[in-house]
Amino acid sequence: MTPLKILVLNGPNLNLLGQREPAVYGHTTLADVEALCQAAAAERGAEVECRQSNHEGVLIDWVQAAGAAYRAGELAGVVFNPGAYTHTSVALHDAIKGSGVPVIETHISNVHAREAFRHHSHISPAAAGIVVGFGVDGYVLAIDGLLRKARAAQA
Ligand code: CA2
């Protein structure tokens, strides 16, 4: 049987992870996070592909392509940290809804314990699940949750 595949998407400024604001985001780099995701998926008999962009339109293109791959049975879903676009992007909300791909919205920090402008998410109403405030371990929790949902749907 072909292993389940997951796309891990990171949005704007997450390429700077581990280089600035360690009090909020920790010392782990994006490369470390991607290695963590690869290992977590392999332990669970799955595969991940990791991508990061600072550009809203690029993220939208990737979500749309993920929808096509999901409909073709080639992708279990997307673990997505949209960064600050979480709080601003109706376009990403529409892309997720339109694509039909299960998305697990993931945030390193507890956005609800931070500034008021981070309390609202345009992504949450379109998401299949949400992981917030577990640091970079949240990516592993999101991969686990997505695989559990995918396997339950297959059974
Ligand atoms: O907690 C999260 O994962 C966030 O999605 C991170 C975003 C923030 O805008 C969201 O409100 C919550 C920011 C990502 C920027 O990451 C940086 C990392 C190091 C240095 C500067 C920014």
Side-chain angles (χ1 to χ4, degrees):
M1 209 171 86
T2 43
L4 283 168
K5 189 170 170 189
I6 290 174
L7 181 63
V8 176
L9 292 185
N10 279 290
N13 295 308
L14 285 153
N15 54 310
L16 300 176
L17 212 55
Q19 299 173 34
R20 311 213 193 114
E21 296 196 61
V24 181
Y25 300 112
H27 291 280
T28 309
T29 66
L30 182 61
D32 295 334
V33 168
E34 292 180 348
L36 186 70
C37 290
Q38 299 285 358
E43 277 167 22
R44 291 161 179 79
E47 282 176 2
V48 293
E49 181 179 339
C50 300
R51 299 186 196 158
Q52 186 274 334
S53 178
N54 292 327
H55 303 280
E56 190 175 20
V58 172
L59 293 165
I60 289 167
D61 287 346
W62 288 344
V63 169
Q64 288 182 4
Y70 175 71
R71 288 190 295 280
E74 294 162 5
L75 191 73
V78 181
V79 170
F80 190 14
N81 185 344
Y85 287 144
T86 303
H87 318 297
T88 64
S89 182
V90 176
L92 274 170
H93 168 107
D94 289 348
I96 294 166
K97 275 246 161 161
S99 74
V101 67
V103 167
I104 310 297
E105 178 185 354
T106 303
H107 298 286
I108 297 167
S109 64
N110 177 0
V111 284
H112 299 288
R114 300 183 63 194
E115 303 96 321
F117 66 82
R118 296 185 203 277
H119 296 179
H120 180 262
S121 168
H122 286 289
I123 307 305
S124 297
I130 305 163
V131 178
V132 166
F134 287 93
V136 296
D137 289 343
Y139 290 87
V140 177
L141 297 174
I143 287 168
D144 202 39
L146 192 50
L147 289 174
R148 282 167 184 261
K149 275 180 181 283
R151 286 177 174 142
Q154 279 178 347

